[in-house]
Amino acid sequence: MRAFSYEKASSPADAAAAAARSPDAKFIAGGTNLLDLMKLQIETPTHLIDVNGLGLDKIESSPDGGLRIGALVRNTALAADERVRRDYAVLSRALLAGASGQLRNRATTAGNLLQRTRCPYFYDTAQPCNKRRPGSGCSALGGFSRQLGVVGISDACIATHPSDMAVAMRALDATVETVKPDRSTRSIPVADVHRLPGNTPHVETVLDKGELITAVTLPKPVGGTQIYRKVRDRASYAFALVSIAAIVQRDGSGRIALGGVAPKPWRVETAEAELPRGAKAAAEAILADAKPTRENAFKLPLVERTLGAVLAQARG
């Protein structure tokens, strides 16, 4: 690990301003992803800004009947919150499907959203990776791609986003609140936070330099049967081959967001009109632009079958 300087921020705006002053600064809270990347010298920040003392660790009711989740709320606390379990069950289930109990005790809401891909070539510094070193190439395109993306990908990158929580928040139409170094704030639909790779896969979000996530807000509960189903190689501590966050209403309508298949939580709202017709029609619409490799083409029928199981479960 390389040497770095360290400071504790006194406010969200001061943390953002400090990050803007240092070109290689990173925020640190739980550190469950960042510290691993620093040990491998994939991330090499020269300055760490500790945001743990900023008071962003509360879950509060919002005026519109929803919830405001502080950026530093730990995954364990969020999954266990009575209001989340009652009104946003898909989020609680997604969180409990991710990582281990020890990691959930440290991992934060904002950190979970911003964690980086688990593509094996991103982690192997001896291999070319456009996400790690822009312009060097994508080793996954001709390599081992079973875990990787089938939709939303590009010729520069086929990595997937690893978060379970983000998939549920996409289905819930969450909004991300931030503060910038100039102390201005903005609200970003979670659908717009993560960028598709295109020709710049190293640019993963729409956040500006120094911009700090302060909270995630959930709108008023929409009811329905809420399910999170995760298909993986082993039942514990594994990332999704395919995951589905579903909110299904009594009339058969609903919302569907996918994980494990794209560089961001994947939801195609126009495809949700096909849900009453069944899993096959909906899956074909959701994956209409899919470009799988030979090794991960199995994900297309796996999405259909997993969605079929989810819809059957929702019908009781």
Side-chain angles (χ1 to χ4, degrees), residues 1-299:
M1 186 181 293
R2 297 183 181 182
F4 57 87
S5 55
Y6 169 88
E7 71 173 288
K8 288 187 175 181
S10 57
S11 73
D14 288 343
R21 287 194 298 268
S22 178
D24 296 314
K26 291 285 184 181
F27 301 118
I28 187 166
T32 56
N33 188 206
L34 177 61
L35 291 178
D36 284 344
L37 295 174
M38 288 174 65
K39 291 173 184 176
L40 294 170
Q41 296 193 14
I42 295 169
E43 293 277 13
T44 55
T46 58
H47 187 59
L48 290 185
I49 302 163
D50 189 333
V51 296
N52 280 296
L54 301 184
L56 304 176
D57 57 353
K58 299 177 179 61
I59 305 173
E60 302 169 310
S61 299
S62 58
D64 64 355
L67 282 182
R68 186 175 187 272
I69 303 161
L72 297 176
V73 172
R74 308 293 164 166
N75 287 179
T76 297
L78 183 57
D81 186 88
E82 180 181 357
R83 294 160 294 183
V84 175
R85 294 172 62 193
R86 181 187 66 231
D87 298 328
Y88 307 96
V90 68
L91 176 57
S92 182
R93 290 167 180 156
L95 284 161
L96 292 174
S100 64
Q102 293 94 329
L103 286 172
R104 291 196 298 270
N105 288 342
R106 291 296 303 162
T108 63
T109 299
N112 192 308
L113 282 175
L114 298 179
Q115 64 183 296
R116 306 199 69 185
T117 184
R118 264 55 177 194
C119 172
Y121 298 103
F122 175 71
Y123 274 79
D124 185 351
T125 56
Q127 300 292 329
C129 172
N130 287 321
K131 190 178 285 291
R132 178 169 28 82
R133 184 178 297 172
S136 62
C138 176
S139 298
L141 285 171
F144 181 72
S145 57
R146 184 173 182 273
Q147 290 279 141
L148 303 178
V150 298
V151 67
I153 57 178
S154 73
D155 291 338
C157 183
I158 60 172
T160 53
H161 194 273
S163 174
D164 293 288
M165 184 196 77
V167 179
M169 287 187 168
R170 181 68 182 90
L172 290 166
D173 285 329
T175 300
V176 175
E177 298 179 1
T178 70
V179 62
K180 293 185 176 185
D182 64 1
R183 298 184 179 273
S184 64
T185 60
R186 63 169 171 164
S187 296
I188 311 167
V190 74
D192 298 332
V193 169
H194 301 101
R195 293 166 51 112
L196 294 180
N199 294 321
T200 56
H202 61 291
V203 184
E204 298 178 339
T205 73
V206 298
L207 300 181
D208 295 334
K209 171 64 180 173
E211 191 168 5
L212 175 70
I213 293 177
T214 54
V216 176
T217 58
L218 302 178
K220 185 177 179 180
V222 296
T225 300
Q226 300 190 16
I227 298 166
Y228 188 77
R229 181 165 293 213
K230 181 176 182 179
V231 181
R232 44 188 163 174
D233 283 327
R234 60 181 187 273
S236 176
Y237 197 41
F239 295 98
L241 292 170
V242 166
S243 65
I244 295 180
I247 304 173
V248 184
Q249 305 298 338
R250 288 187 176 183
D251 62 1
S253 64
R255 304 176 184 178
I256 299 292
L258 270 60
V261 298
K264 61 188 290 185
W266 193 253
R267 182 179 171 196
V268 182
E269 283 91 335
T270 54
E272 293 168 354
E274 303 291 337
L275 284 173
R277 294 181 54 201
K280 181 176 178 61
E284 287 178 350
I286 293 169
L287 300 174
D289 298 322
K291 296 179 180 178
T293 68
R294 179 180 58 83
E295 288 190 349
N296 65 19
F298 73 92
K299 288 192 176 189

